[in-house]
Coordinates of all heavy atoms in Angstrom, one line a residue:
M1 N 0.5 17.3 -41.3 CA 0.4 15.9 -41.2 C -1.0 15.5 -41.7 O -2.0 16.2 -41.6 CB 0.5 15.4 -39.8 CG 1.9 14.9 -39.4 SD 1.8 14.0 -37.9 CE 3.5 14.3 -37.4
R2 N -1.1 14.3 -42.2 CA -2.3 13.8 -42.7 C -3.1 13.3 -41.5 O -2.5 12.8 -40.5 CB -2.1 12.7 -43.7 CG -1.5 13.2 -45.0 CD -1.5 12.2 -46.0 NE -1.3 10.9 -45.5 CZ -0.5 9.9 -46.0 NH1 0.2 10.1 -47.0 NH2 -0.5 8.7 -45.5
P3 N -4.4 13.3 -41.6 CA -5.2 12.8 -40.4 C -5.0 11.3 -40.1 O -5.0 10.9 -39.0 CB -6.7 13.0 -40.9 CG -6.6 14.1 -42.0 CD -5.3 14.0 -42.6
E4 N -4.6 10.5 -41.2 CA -4.3 9.1 -41.0 C -3.0 8.9 -40.2 O -3.0 8.1 -39.3 CB -4.2 8.4 -42.4 CG -5.4 8.4 -43.2 CD -5.2 7.8 -44.5 OE1 -4.0 7.4 -44.9 OE2 -6.1 7.8 -45.4
Q5 N -2.0 9.8 -40.5 CA -0.8 9.6 -39.7 C -1.0 10.1 -38.3 O -0.4 9.5 -37.3 CB 0.3 10.5 -40.4 CG 0.8 10.0 -41.6 CD 1.9 11.0 -42.2 OE1 1.8 12.2 -42.0 NE2 2.8 10.4 -43.0
E6 N -1.8 11.1 -38.1 CA -2.1 11.6 -36.7 C -2.8 10.5 -35.9 O -2.5 10.2 -34.7 CB -2.9 12.8 -36.7 CG -2.1 14.1 -37.2 CD -3.0 15.3 -37.2 OE1 -4.2 15.3 -36.7 OE2 -2.5 16.3 -37.7
S7 N -3.8 9.9 -36.6 CA -4.5 8.8 -35.8 C -3.6 7.6 -35.6 O -3.7 7.0 -34.5 CB -5.8 8.4 -36.6 OG -5.4 7.8 -37.8
E8 N -2.7 7.3 -36.5 CA -1.7 6.2 -36.2 C -0.8 6.5 -35.0 O -0.6 5.7 -34.2 CB -0.9 5.9 -37.4 CG -1.6 5.2 -38.6 CD -0.8 5.0 -39.8 OE1 0.5 5.1 -39.7 OE2 -1.4 4.8 -40.8
Q9 N -0.4 7.7 -35.0 CA 0.5 8.1 -33.9 C -0.3 8.1 -32.5 O 0.3 7.7 -31.5 CB 1.1 9.5 -34.1 CG 2.2 9.6 -35.1 CD 2.8 11.0 -35.3 OE1 2.2 12.0 -34.8 NE2 3.9 11.1 -36.0
M10 N -1.5 8.6 -32.6 CA -2.3 8.6 -31.3 C -2.5 7.1 -30.9 O -2.4 6.8 -29.7 CB -3.6 9.2 -31.6 CG -3.5 10.8 -31.7 SD -2.9 11.5 -30.1 CE -4.3 11.3 -29.1
N11 N -2.8 6.2 -31.8 CA -3.0 4.8 -31.5 C -1.7 4.2 -30.9 O -1.8 3.4 -29.9 CB -3.5 4.0 -32.7 CG -4.9 4.3 -33.1 OD1 -5.7 4.7 -32.2 ND2 -5.2 4.1 -34.3
E12 N -0.6 4.6 -31.5 CA 0.7 4.1 -30.9 C 0.9 4.6 -29.5 O 1.3 3.8 -28.6 CB 1.8 4.5 -31.8 CG 1.9 3.8 -33.1 CD 3.0 4.3 -34.0 OE1 3.9 5.1 -33.6 OE2 3.0 3.9 -35.2
R13 N 0.6 5.9 -29.3 CA 0.8 6.4 -27.9 C -0.1 5.8 -26.9 O 0.2 5.5 -25.8 CB 0.6 7.9 -28.0 CG 1.7 8.7 -28.7 CD 1.3 10.2 -28.7 NE 2.3 10.9 -29.5 CZ 2.1 12.2 -29.8 NH1 1.0 12.9 -29.5 NH2 3.1 12.8 -30.6
L14 N -1.4 5.6 -27.4 CA -2.3 5.0 -26.5 C -1.9 3.6 -26.1 O -2.1 3.1 -25.0 CB -3.8 4.9 -27.1 CG -4.5 6.3 -27.1 CD1 -5.8 6.2 -27.9 CD2 -4.8 6.7 -25.7
G15 N -1.4 2.8 -27.1 CA -0.9 1.5 -26.9 C 0.2 1.5 -25.9 O 0.2 0.6 -25.0
R16 N 1.1 2.4 -26.0 CA 2.2 2.5 -25.1 C 1.7 2.8 -23.6 O 2.2 2.3 -22.6 CB 3.3 3.5 -25.5 CG 4.2 3.0 -26.6 CD 5.3 3.9 -26.9 NE 4.8 4.6 -28.1 CZ 5.1 5.9 -28.4 NH1 5.9 6.6 -27.7 NH2 4.6 6.4 -29.6
I17 N 0.8 3.7 -23.5 CA 0.2 4.1 -22.2 C -0.5 2.9 -21.6 O -0.4 2.6 -20.4 CB -0.7 5.3 -22.4 CG1 0.1 6.5 -22.7 CG2 -1.6 5.5 -21.1 CD1 -0.8 7.7 -23.0
E18 N -1.2 2.1 -22.4 CA -1.9 0.9 -21.9 C -0.9 -0.1 -21.4 O -1.1 -0.8 -20.4 CB -2.8 0.3 -23.0 CG -4.1 1.1 -23.3 CD -4.8 0.5 -24.5 OE1 -4.3 -0.4 -25.1 OE2 -5.9 1.0 -24.6
E19 N 0.2 -0.3 -22.2 CA 1.2 -1.2 -21.7 C 1.8 -0.8 -20.4 O 2.0 -1.7 -19.5 CB 2.4 -1.3 -22.8 CG 1.9 -2.1 -24.0 CD 3.0 -2.0 -25.1 OE1 4.1 -1.6 -24.8 OE2 2.7 -2.4 -26.2
K20 N 2.1 0.5 -20.2 CA 2.7 1.0 -19.0 C 1.7 0.8 -17.8 O 2.1 0.3 -16.7 CB 3.0 2.5 -19.1 CG 4.2 2.8 -19.9 CD 4.4 4.3 -20.0 CE 5.6 4.6 -20.8 NZ 5.9 6.0 -21.0
L21 N 0.4 1.0 -18.1 CA -0.7 0.8 -17.0 C -0.7 -0.7 -16.6 O -0.9 -1.0 -15.4 CB -2.0 1.3 -17.5 CG -2.1 2.9 -17.5 CD1 -3.5 3.2 -18.1 CD2 -2.0 3.4 -16.1
D22 N -0.7 -1.6 -17.7 CA -0.7 -3.0 -17.3 C 0.5 -3.4 -16.5 O 0.4 -4.2 -15.5 CB -0.7 -3.8 -18.6 CG -2.0 -3.7 -19.4 OD1 -3.0 -3.3 -18.7 OD2 -2.0 -4.0 -20.6
R23 N 1.7 -2.9 -16.8 CA 2.9 -3.2 -16.0 C 2.8 -2.7 -14.6 O 3.1 -3.4 -13.6 CB 4.2 -2.7 -16.7 CG 4.6 -3.6 -17.8 CD 6.0 -3.1 -18.3 NE 5.6 -2.2 -19.5 CZ 6.3 -1.1 -19.8 NH1 7.4 -0.7 -19.1 NH2 5.9 -0.4 -20.8
L24 N 2.2 -1.5 -14.4 CA 2.0 -0.9 -13.1 C 1.0 -1.7 -12.3 O 1.2 -2.0 -11.1 CB 1.6 0.5 -13.2 CG 2.6 1.6 -13.5 CD1 2.0 2.9 -13.8 CD2 3.7 1.7 -12.4
E25 N 0.0 -2.2 -12.9 CA -1.1 -3.0 -12.2 C -0.5 -4.3 -11.8 O -0.7 -4.8 -10.7 CB -2.2 -3.2 -13.2 CG -3.4 -4.0 -12.5 CD -4.5 -4.2 -13.5 OE1 -4.4 -3.8 -14.7 OE2 -5.5 -4.8 -13.1
Q26 N 0.4 -4.9 -12.7 CA 1.0 -6.2 -12.3 C 1.9 -6.0 -11.1 O 2.0 -6.8 -10.2 CB 1.7 -6.8 -13.5 CG 0.7 -7.3 -14.6 CD 1.5 -7.7 -15.8 OE1 2.7 -7.6 -15.9 NE2 0.8 -8.3 -16.8
A27 N 2.7 -4.9 -11.1 CA 3.6 -4.7 -10.0 C 2.9 -4.5 -8.7 O 3.3 -4.9 -7.6 CB 4.5 -3.5 -10.4
Q28 N 1.7 -3.7 -8.8 CA 1.0 -3.5 -7.6 C 0.4 -4.8 -7.0 O 0.3 -4.9 -5.8 CB -0.1 -2.5 -7.9 CG -0.9 -2.0 -6.7 CD -1.9 -1.0 -7.0 OE1 -2.3 -0.8 -8.1 NE2 -2.4 -0.3 -6.0
Q29 N -0.1 -5.7 -7.9 CA -0.7 -6.9 -7.5 C 0.3 -7.8 -6.8 O 0.0 -8.6 -5.9 CB -1.4 -7.6 -8.6 CG -2.7 -7.0 -9.0 CD -3.3 -7.7 -10.2 OE1 -2.7 -8.6 -10.8 NE2 -4.5 -7.2 -10.6
K30 N 1.6 -7.8 -7.2 CA 2.6 -8.6 -6.5 C 2.8 -8.2 -5.0 O 3.1 -9.0 -4.2 CB 3.9 -8.4 -7.3 CG 4.0 -9.1 -8.6 CD 5.3 -8.9 -9.3 CE 5.3 -9.5 -10.7 NZ 6.6 -9.2 -11.4
H31 N 2.6 -6.9 -4.7 CA 2.9 -6.4 -3.4 C 1.7 -6.6 -2.5 O 1.7 -6.2 -1.3 CB 3.4 -5.0 -3.4 CG 4.7 -4.9 -4.1 ND1 5.8 -5.5 -3.7 CD2 5.0 -4.2 -5.3 CE1 6.8 -5.2 -4.6 NE2 6.4 -4.4 -5.5
K32 N 0.5 -7.0 -3.0 CA -0.7 -7.1 -2.1 C -0.5 -8.3 -1.2 O 0.0 -9.3 -1.5 CB -1.9 -7.3 -3.0 CG -2.4 -6.0 -3.6 CD -3.8 -6.3 -4.2 CE -4.4 -4.9 -4.6 NZ -5.7 -5.1 -5.2
Q33 N -1.0 -8.1 0.0 CA -1.0 -9.2 1.0 C -2.3 -9.8 1.1 O -3.4 -9.2 0.9 CB -0.5 -8.6 2.4 CG 0.9 -8.1 2.4 CD 1.2 -7.4 3.7 OE1 0.3 -7.0 4.5 NE2 2.4 -7.2 4.0
S34 N -2.3 -11.1 1.5 CA -3.6 -11.8 1.6 C -4.3 -11.2 2.9 O -3.7 -10.7 3.8 CB -3.3 -13.3 1.9 OG -2.7 -13.5 3.1
P35 N -5.7 -11.4 2.9 CA -6.4 -10.8 4.0 C -6.0 -11.4 5.4 O -6.0 -10.8 6.4 CB -7.9 -11.2 3.7 CG -7.9 -11.3 2.2 CD -6.5 -11.8 1.8
G36 N -5.7 -12.7 5.3 CA -5.2 -13.4 6.6 C -4.0 -12.8 7.1 O -3.8 -12.5 8.3
T37 N -3.0 -12.4 6.2 CA -1.8 -11.8 6.7 C -2.0 -10.4 7.3 O -1.5 -10.1 8.3 CB -0.8 -11.7 5.5 OG1 -0.6 -13.0 4.9 CG2 0.5 -11.1 6.0
R38 N -2.9 -9.7 6.6 CA -3.3 -8.3 7.1 C -3.9 -8.4 8.5 O -3.7 -7.6 9.4 CB -4.2 -7.6 6.1 CG -3.4 -7.2 4.9 CD -4.2 -6.2 4.1 NE -5.6 -6.6 3.9 CZ -6.3 -6.5 2.8 NH1 -5.8 -5.9 1.8 NH2 -7.5 -6.9 2.7
F39 N -4.8 -9.5 8.7 CA -5.5 -9.6 9.9 C -4.5 -10.0 11.0 O -4.6 -9.3 12.1 CB -6.5 -10.8 9.8 CG -7.2 -11.1 11.1 CD1 -8.1 -10.3 11.6 CD2 -6.8 -12.3 11.8 CE1 -8.7 -10.7 12.9 CE2 -7.4 -12.6 13.0 CZ -8.3 -11.8 13.5
L40 N -3.6 -10.8 10.7 CA -2.5 -11.2 11.8 C -1.7 -10.0 12.1 O -1.3 -9.8 13.3 CB -1.7 -12.3 11.3 CG -2.4 -13.7 11.2 CD1 -1.5 -14.8 10.6 CD2 -2.9 -14.1 12.6
I41 N -1.3 -9.2 11.1 CA -0.5 -8.0 11.4 C -1.3 -7.0 12.3 O -0.8 -6.5 13.3 CB -0.1 -7.3 10.1 CG1 0.9 -8.2 9.4 CG2 0.4 -5.9 10.4 CD1 1.3 -7.7 8.0
G42 N -2.6 -6.9 12.0 CA -3.5 -6.0 12.8 C -3.6 -6.5 14.3 O -3.6 -5.7 15.2
V43 N -3.8 -7.8 14.4 CA -3.8 -8.4 15.8 C -2.6 -8.2 16.5 O -2.5 -7.8 17.7 CB -4.2 -9.9 15.7 CG1 -4.0 -10.6 17.0 CG2 -5.6 -10.1 15.2
G44 N -1.4 -8.4 15.8 CA -0.2 -8.2 16.5 C 0.0 -6.7 16.9 O 0.5 -6.4 18.0
I45 N -0.3 -5.8 16.1 CA -0.2 -4.3 16.4 C -1.1 -4.0 17.6 O -0.7 -3.3 18.5 CB -0.5 -3.4 15.2 CG1 0.6 -3.6 14.2 CG2 -0.7 -2.0 15.6 CD1 0.3 -2.9 12.8
G46 N -2.3 -4.5 17.6 CA -3.2 -4.3 18.7 C -2.7 -4.9 20.0 O -2.8 -4.3 21.1
F47 N -2.1 -6.1 19.9 CA -1.5 -6.7 21.1 C -0.4 -5.8 21.7 O -0.3 -5.6 22.9 CB -1.0 -8.1 20.7 CG -0.4 -8.8 21.9 CD1 -1.1 -9.4 22.9 CD2 1.0 -9.0 21.9 CE1 -0.6 -10.1 23.9 CE2 1.6 -9.7 23.0 CZ 0.8 -10.2 24.0
V48 N 0.5 -5.3 20.8 CA 1.6 -4.5 21.3 C 1.1 -3.2 21.9 O 1.6 -2.8 23.0 CB 2.5 -4.2 20.1 CG1 3.5 -3.1 20.4 CG2 3.3 -5.4 19.6
I49 N 0.0 -2.6 21.4 CA -0.5 -1.4 21.9 C -1.1 -1.7 23.3 O -0.8 -0.9 24.3 CB -1.6 -0.8 21.0 CG1 -0.9 -0.2 19.7 CG2 -2.4 0.3 21.7 CD1 -1.9 0.2 18.7
I50 N -1.8 -2.8 23.5 CA -2.4 -3.1 24.7 C -1.3 -3.4 25.8 O -1.3 -3.0 26.9 CB -3.4 -4.3 24.6 CG1 -4.6 -3.9 23.9 CG2 -3.8 -4.9 26.0 CD1 -5.6 -5.0 23.5
L51 N -0.2 -4.1 25.3 CA 0.9 -4.4 26.2 C 1.6 -3.1 26.7 O 1.9 -3.0 27.9 CB 1.9 -5.3 25.5 CG 3.1 -5.8 26.3 CD1 2.5 -6.8 27.3 CD2 4.1 -6.5 25.4
V52 N 1.8 -2.2 25.8 CA 2.4 -0.9 26.2 C 1.5 -0.1 27.2 O 2.0 0.4 28.2 CB 2.7 0.0 24.9 CG1 3.1 1.4 25.3 CG2 3.8 -0.7 24.2
L53 N 0.2 -0.1 26.9 CA -0.7 0.5 27.9 C -0.7 -0.1 29.2 O -0.7 0.6 30.3 CB -2.2 0.6 27.3 CG -2.4 1.5 26.1 CD1 -3.8 1.3 25.6 CD2 -2.2 2.9 26.6
L54 N -0.7 -1.5 29.3 CA -0.7 -2.1 30.6 C 0.6 -1.9 31.3 O 0.6 -1.7 32.6 CB -0.9 -3.6 30.4 CG -2.3 -4.1 30.0 CD1 -2.3 -5.6 29.7 CD2 -3.3 -3.7 31.1
M55 N 1.7 -1.9 30.6 CA 3.0 -1.5 31.2 C 3.0 -0.1 31.7 O 3.5 0.1 32.9 CB 4.2 -1.8 30.2 CG 4.4 -3.2 29.9 SD 5.7 -3.5 28.7 CE 7.1 -2.7 29.4
T56 N 2.5 0.8 31.0 CA 2.4 2.2 31.5 C 1.6 2.3 32.8 O 2.0 3.0 33.7 CB 1.8 3.1 30.4 OG1 2.6 2.9 29.2 CG2 1.8 4.6 30.8
I57 N 0.4 1.6 32.8 CA -0.4 1.6 33.9 C 0.3 1.0 35.2 O 0.3 1.5 36.3 CB -1.7 0.9 33.7 CG1 -2.6 1.7 32.7 CG2 -2.5 0.7 35.0 CD1 -3.8 1.0 32.2
G58 N 1.1 -0.1 34.9 CA 1.8 -0.7 36.0 C 2.9 0.2 36.5 O 3.1 0.3 37.7
V59 N 3.6 0.9 35.7 CA 4.6 1.8 36.1 C 4.1 2.9 36.9 O 4.6 3.3 38.0 CB 5.5 2.3 34.9 CG1 6.4 3.5 35.4 CG2 6.3 1.2 34.4
L60 N 2.9 3.5 36.5 CA 2.3 4.6 37.2 C 1.8 4.1 38.6 O 2.0 4.9 39.6 CB 1.1 5.1 36.4 CG 1.4 5.9 35.2 CD1 0.2 6.3 34.4 CD2 2.2 7.2 35.5
Q61 N 1.3 2.9 38.7 CA 0.8 2.4 40.0 C 2.1 2.2 40.9 O 2.0 2.5 42.1 CB 0.1 1.1 39.8 CG -1.3 1.3 39.3 CD -2.1 -0.1 39.2 OE1 -1.5 -1.1 39.2 NE2 -3.4 0.1 39.0
F62 N 3.1 1.7 40.3 CA 4.3 1.4 41.1 C 4.9 2.7 41.7 O 5.3 2.8 42.9 CB 5.4 0.7 40.2 CG 6.7 0.5 41.0 CD1 6.7 -0.5 41.9 CD2 7.8 1.2 40.8 CE1 7.9 -0.8 42.6 CE2 9.0 1.1 41.4 CZ 9.1 0.0 42.4
V63 N 4.9 3.8 40.9 CA 5.5 5.1 41.2 C 4.5 5.7 42.3 O 5.0 6.2 43.3 CB 5.6 6.0 40.1 CG1 5.9 7.4 40.5 CG2 6.7 5.5 39.1
S64 N 3.2 5.6 42.1 CA 2.3 6.1 43.1 C 2.3 5.4 44.4 O 2.2 6.0 45.5 CB 0.9 6.2 42.5 OG 0.4 4.9 42.4
V65 N 2.6 4.1 44.4 CA 2.6 3.4 45.7 C 3.9 3.7 46.4 O 4.0 3.8 47.6 CB 2.5 1.8 45.4 CG1 2.9 1.1 46.6 CG2 1.1 1.5 45.0
S66 N 5.0 3.9 45.7 CA 6.3 4.1 46.3 C 6.4 5.6 46.9 O 7.2 5.8 47.7 CB 7.5 3.9 45.3 OG 7.4 4.9 44.3
N67 N 5.5 6.5 46.4 CA 5.5 7.8 46.9 C 4.7 7.9 48.2 O 4.9 8.9 48.9 CB 4.9 8.8 45.9 CG 5.8 9.1 44.8 OD1 7.1 8.9 44.9 ND2 5.3 9.6 43.7
T68 N 3.9 7.0 48.5 CA 3.1 7.1 49.7 C 3.7 6.5 50.9 O 4.6 5.8 50.9 CB 1.7 6.4 49.5 OG1 1.9 5.1 49.1 CG2 0.9 7.1 48.5

C-alpha cells in the first residue's frame, strides 16, 4: 500500500473511534443524577440504616428484659 492510502485508512479508523467515544460519552451523561438527587438518596439510605439499628437495639432490649 502507498503511504497516502495507509494514512487515509488510519484517519478513517480514528474518525470512527472518535464517533464511538462521543456516543458513549453522551449515553453516560444521560444517566448521571443531579447532586441534589444523590444527596437525597444518601440521606434516605442513612435513615434506613439508623432505623434498622434502632429496631435491632429495641428487640435486644425486649428479649433481655423478658429473660429476667
